[in-house]
Amino acid sequence: QVQLVEAGGGLVQAGGSLRLSCAASGSIFSISTMGWYRQAPGKQREVVATITSGGSTNYADSVKGRFTISRDNAKNTVYLQMGSLKAEDTAVYYCNARGIVLGQFYTDWGQGTQVTVSS
């Protein structure tokens, strides 16, 4: 339904910043919510932040005040601006899109991008 391509991961020192981007293509008109999730080694995937088509946002408590999710509808792209990074933010970050096409719910994932924060 939707194809997602992430970019912007890398290695950064604690206290630094990174910006992730996720470009969507395909049935973009059907997207209701986009978000960022992350998965650290040995841990379950967890939600980081989400943004609806109307612009409403939600954040995990662990990133509130440090991360900002935004979207550029003209570019079909969602961003995650990450600041004051900590070692515990190290994970593979995945972009997610969900919506409804022909009455069927769907959820699609990007390939993931590694974020490593050195302490």
Side-chain angles (χ1 to χ4, degrees), residues 9 15 23 26 48 55 60 74 83 85 89 92 101 106:
V48 176
L85 283 162
D89 294 318
V92 177
V101 171
Y106 71 87

Side-chain angles (χ1 to χ4, degrees), residues 19-38:
R19 188 176 81 156
L20 306 182
S21 64
C22 173
S25 61
S27 301
I28 55 175
F29 61 90
S30 67
I31 298 174
S32 62
T33 301
M34 294 189 72
W36 288 95
Y37 291 69
R38 66 187 181 187

